[in-house]
Amino acid sequence: MSEQKPKFAFVLALAGAALMFVNALLVGTNGAPLTISSSGFQSPGEVIGTSATQSWFRISFGFRGFIEGAWSLFWLVTTIIMLYCAIRLYMKPTEHQILCYIIATLSILGIIYGGGFIIGAILGVLGAGIGFAGSSDFENSFFYKIIRAAKLDPEFYKGLSNDKNSLKHATYALVFANILSGIGSGVYSYNAQRILNASSQAIPFKILFLGEMPLDISIVGTVVINIGLAMLKWMTLSVIIYFITVGLLERKQKLSNIASVVAFAYVPVSLQFVMLFILANKSLIGFTLPFYTFLITNIWMILALMRGVKQSLETGLGKTLGIFCVSGAIYLLVHETFFAAFDIQNAIRFTIQPQGVLLMIVSCLLIGALLFETFTKH
Amino acid sequence: MKRLNILLLILTLVAIIFAATSIILPWWSLSLSAEAKIILNSDFRVDYGLLKSVRATLATQTANQSMTVELINLTSQKDPNADSFKFMDTTLTLVIVGLALSIPLVIAMIMPQLSRYRRYIAIIGYLSSVILFISSFYFVSQVAGPISQLSSLTPISTPTDWVRISPTDITGAWGSKAIPPTSPLLVWVNSGNFWVWQPSLGWYLAFSSALLIALASLTLHLNLELEKKQEMAQEHRMLGAEESTNR
């Protein structure tokens, strides 16, 4: 690697380290996790009691039991090491590989004390990922591609067909996004079950108010199954879009190109990782909170997919929407009959019930496809 | 390297601000635990500062009270310079010395003409950092003894139904007193603390300041080595070029 300064990686890692330093300092001073909650209350009974009426949620930065006393000093020192590595990355770019390993490791470890309000850890990992590729090649680095994919960068999606590494990086992106989403939703689901099935008030009290984070080895299984299932969904969606564009619309397109677009479009799903920090009481925890988290990340994913398909097929918006309506209708049917039927431990899943509603949505999508003149050949 | 200098300047300034504000902020505190705060819907905190002042705040559903007194008022001694709290003066002196030693770092970064003294300035920076570290660790190693000998931990009396805490309960800089097994608070938590004590914001700022100054000095030092290596490499190259033209 040349001595050229990896400025982008340096700025990201430095900003991440600074946020993590502030987070560690505040957690140390507080002696407990930092908590932001939706509203105050007079008594815990209003939130977790048997006659609780209030809808309440909280975001907790830091896991109780790992941040008190000497731990707080340890975390503060790690943030300074991270700061040093970020500065060193700028001063001596030739050492980028070892420095980026340290930055990434400390960013991930930092999640224990709040991960620099989550943002710090994300910036740290992205900075390390981009820095790892080196300054001469950082635009082709995996993490830079992830940022561009999430930003819905049209040039990025357009250039995927000419990038020889696109399918490899797309597969990594898919796995990466689903590891994060699997951890977030797995831990959330495990804790939600503990709160919903609690035999005493002490369990929800400790999890919700004190920021305790009980974990179970079964969550690892959830993450692995989540990746496997995501691979199947990816292949299904890619094949559906491929057959519609190539078979039905007679467009020249490679399956690998469509598969790359679909996999990169999965990147926003990684934001489901924030569910690790957010929990709520009984009135929100079962449906509302995961539903809105999934809704936001999946709408983002659909927008990324639309941008990707539009750019790679070089079609107008109407045609793209049409392709989406047909593919969406077929994918929904496959998803609801096959993927949604899997009963995975600690996984969050939504099904469309009753079946009449599913058929109505599918019908609407197909009518939409006709209105957008998807099947008209120009 | 101009950008690096600005970054180091910012780091050092932040460290100096941290160390300076730590003098007036509390260094040690006793407060209700997170679980007790939530269950009682109350807050109580006693902060001990390096300037030997004690501030107590109590907020319950029925009353809000705040009081600041001199530390001497919580002892049975009458002499404000009593031996037992001399450690606070020592800590204060160490913080001030550490703070003063960090100033040359800032001057060296602002004035480029001092660049040839950077090696010595980095050494002074290391010294400043070490002194601030010593002040932090000296404080936590000493605080428990004198606090445990106070006649009372707080100038404000706490509600009578709260778990009692006496100065003799304080056995270390960090610690807690558990909710007794008969307490009605255990309806909500099967185990937990009522009181917690630990170093406070001022102490954490002084500790962070020591870390930041160490980081700035180390970077300055390494940058110097790097520049020297680059100069030597350039000289080597120039010599090589000269030799080849002579040939």
Side-chain angles (χ1 to χ4, degrees):
Chain A
M1 187 190 142
S2 69
E3 276 279 342
Q4 202 186 340
K5 306 289 179 205
K7 280 180 197 153
F8 191 54
F10 158 71
V11 171
L12 287 181
L14 189 75
L19 278 170
M20 293 182 88
F21 171 73
V22 174
N23 189 165
L25 183 63
L26 291 177
V27 163
T29 313
N30 195 36
L34 303 171
T35 308
I36 302 169
S37 60
S38 59
S39 60
F41 50 85
Q42 295 289 315
S43 150
E46 290 172 23
V47 174
I48 58 166
T50 43
S51 55
T53 49
Q54 202 175 328
S55 293
W56 185 91
F57 72 90
R58 63 96 175 124
I59 305 170
S60 177
F61 301 109
F63 301 155
R64 185 175 153 101
F66 298 97
I67 50 168
E68 297 86 355
W71 278 110
S72 63
L73 306 186
F74 173 72
W75 296 127
L76 258 177
V77 172
T78 61
T79 62
I80 295 293
I81 295 171
M82 209 176 142
L83 266 175
Y84 171 72
C85 289
I87 295 171
R88 186 92 181 156
L89 186 65
Y90 180 80
M91 277 168 65
K92 213 156 185 327
T94 44
E95 292 172 354
H96 66 115
Q97 289 198 331
I98 181 75
L99 293 172
C100 289
Y101 265 128
I102 300 171
I103 294 170
T105 310
L106 295 180
S107 302
I108 294 165
L109 269 180
I111 289 163
I112 294 172
Y113 60 88
F117 313 103
I118 313 171
I119 301 164
I122 294 172
L123 293 179
V125 170
L126 288 178
I130 293 168
F132 194 80
S135 58
S136 55
D137 199 31
F138 96 94
E139 286 199 351
N140 286 322
S141 70
F142 167 65
F143 281 92
Y144 192 65
K145 283 180 182 171
I146 278 186
I147 295 175
R148 292 181 74 191
K151 274 168 64 185
L152 316 184
D153 184 345
E155 292 305 312
F156 165 72
Y157 285 107
K158 204 172 185 176
L160 277 180
S161 54
N162 303 323
D163 184 354
K164 60 180 190 318
N165 286 326
S166 69
L167 190 61
K168 185 176 82 178
H169 281 172
T171 317
Y172 292 165
L174 183 81
V175 173
F176 174 75
N178 282 285
I179 288 174
L180 292 180
S181 129
I183 293 171
S185 55
V187 173
Y188 177 89
S189 177
Y190 177 72
N191 281 298
Q193 282 169 38
R194 282 181 64 93
I195 290 170
L196 290 168
N197 308 323
S199 53
S200 77
Q201 309 277 24
I203 294 167
F205 187 96
K206 284 188 172 175
I207 295 173
L208 289 176
F209 299 135
L210 305 182
E212 234 172 54
M213 182 62 71
L215 294 173
D216 189 80
I217 194 74
S218 64
I219 295 165
V220 178
T222 311
V223 175
V224 174
I225 294 169
N226 198 47
I227 296 167
L229 205 58
M231 288 281 185
L232 287 175
K233 287 180 185 176
W234 169 47
M235 284 171 198
T236 311
L237 190 56
S238 304
V239 168
I240 291 170
I241 296 176
Y242 175 75
F243 276 117
I244 287 165
T245 51
V246 177
L248 214 61
L249 304 175
E250 292 175 2
R251 296 267 178 159
K252 280 186 181 173
Q253 194 60 247
K254 282 182 189 167
L255 178 62
S256 61
N257 190 34
I258 293 197
S260 301
V261 169
V262 175
F264 272 115
Y266 265 94
V267 167
V269 167
S270 56
L271 285 178
Q272 287 167 9
F273 182 71
V274 297
M275 295 177 83
L276 192 66
F277 303 89
I278 308 171
L279 276 171
N281 67 349
K282 278 182 181 175
S283 62
L284 294 178
I285 203 166
F287 176 75
T288 316
L289 200 60
F291 176 74
Y292 282 108
T293 314
F294 273 59
L295 188 71
I296 292 166
T297 53
N298 284 9
I299 285 176
W300 193 346
M301 181 195 139
I302 290 167
L303 290 176
L305 194 54
M306 274 176 67
R307 172 57 61 88
V309 170
K310 185 174 176 290
Q311 291 300 323
S312 61
L313 295 180
E314 292 177 349
T315 54
L317 183 65
K319 204 80 173 173
T320 313
L321 285 171
I323 293 168
F324 252 78
C325 287
V326 186
S327 335
I330 300 169
Y331 180 74
L332 257 184
L333 284 173
V334 175
H335 185 273
E336 289 303 305
T337 49
F338 182 64
F339 297 125
F342 283 119
D343 188 14
I344 306 158
Q345 199 187 358
N346 300 324
I348 297 171
R349 67 194 168 105
F350 296 98
T351 52
I352 302 170
Q353 293 289 342
Q355 277 202 328
V357 178
L358 172 69
L359 290 175
M360 196 182 74
I361 295 170
V362 170
S363 310
C364 288
L365 286 170
L366 291 175
I367 292 167
L370 286 174
L371 289 175
F372 288 121
E373 298 180 349
T374 318
F375 307 106
T376 315
K377 287 171 191 169
H378 294 285
Chain B
M1 285 289 152
K2 202 176 172 187
R3 194 181 291 218
L4 187 69
N5 268 342
I6 295 170
L7 183 68
L8 289 184
L9 180 66
I10 294 170
L11 272 181
T12 318
L13 284 176
V14 169
I16 288 174
I17 293 167
F18 276 12
T21 47
S22 78
I23 295 171
I24 50 166
L25 288 170
W27 272 55
W28 190 83
S29 64
L30 165 78
S31 63
L32 281 181
S33 69
E35 47 269 46
K37 269 184 210 169
I38 293 165
I39 299 168
L40 299 166
N41 193 25
S42 306
D43 200 1
F44 180 75
R45 189 179 176 88
V46 196
D47 291 316
Y48 293 73
L50 267 193
L51 301 172
K52 293 183 190 167
S53 67
V54 179
R55 182 181 165 78
T57 46
L58 171 72
T60 63
Q61 281 157 307
T62 51
N64 279 316
Q65 222 180 328
S66 177
M67 188 186 275
T68 307
V69 296
E70 292 295 310
L71 186 58
I72 193 72
N73 294 336
L74 301 180
T75 64
S76 50
Q77 297 159 339
K78 290 285 164 265
D79 178 10
N81 297 315
D83 279 348
S84 53
F85 283 95
K86 275 266 166 69
F87 83 97
M88 283 192 171
D89 299 328
T90 315
T91 310
L92 182 62
T93 313
L94 285 170
V95 173
I96 292 168
V97 171
L99 187 58
L101 286 176
S102 66
I103 308 278
L105 268 178
V106 180
I107 297 169
M109 280 160 209
I110 294 172
M111 299 171 77
Q113 57 266 45
L114 290 177
S115 59
R116 62 202 157 123
Y117 300 114
R118 275 187 299 177
R119 177 181 296 275
Y120 305 106
I121 288 163
I123 293 168
I124 296 172
Y126 286 132
L127 197 64
S128 157
S129 163
V130 168
I131 291 173
L132 284 167
F133 271 126
I134 292 172
S135 72
S136 310
F137 288 110
Y138 176 69
F139 182 86
V140 289
S141 67
Q142 297 294 312
V143 70
I147 294 275
S148 65
Q149 280 156 24
L150 290 174
S151 52
S152 167
L153 282 172
T154 157
I156 298 176
S157 51
T158 55
T160 47
D161 54 339
W162 286 14
V163 175
R164 299 281 100 200
I165 184 157
S166 77
T168 50
D169 290 321
I170 312 296
T171 50
W174 278 271
S176 57
K177 186 166 183 174
I179 300 171
T182 52
S183 170
L185 302 184
L186 293 180
V187 173
W188 294 105
V189 275
N190 44 21
S191 64
N193 295 320
F194 194 93
W195 295 105
V196 285
W197 55 88
Q198 64 161 71
S200 200
L201 184 61
W203 185 87
Y204 274 97
L205 288 183
F207 181 76
S208 306
S209 155
L211 287 173
L212 289 173
I213 291 171
L215 173 67
S217 310
L218 183 66
T219 312
L220 194 73
H221 189 179
L222 291 176
N223 194 22
L224 207 69
E225 305 268 306
L226 214 69
E227 277 178 10
K228 206 185 254 179
K229 266 186 198 169
Q230 279 170 353
E231 267 170 32
M232 275 170 70
Q234 205 166 348
E235 259 174 43
H236 213 75
R237 249 179 276 138
M238 278 169 72
L239 271 173
E242 236 171 69
E243 265 175 32
S244 61
T245 34
N246 286 344
R247 256 184 237 146

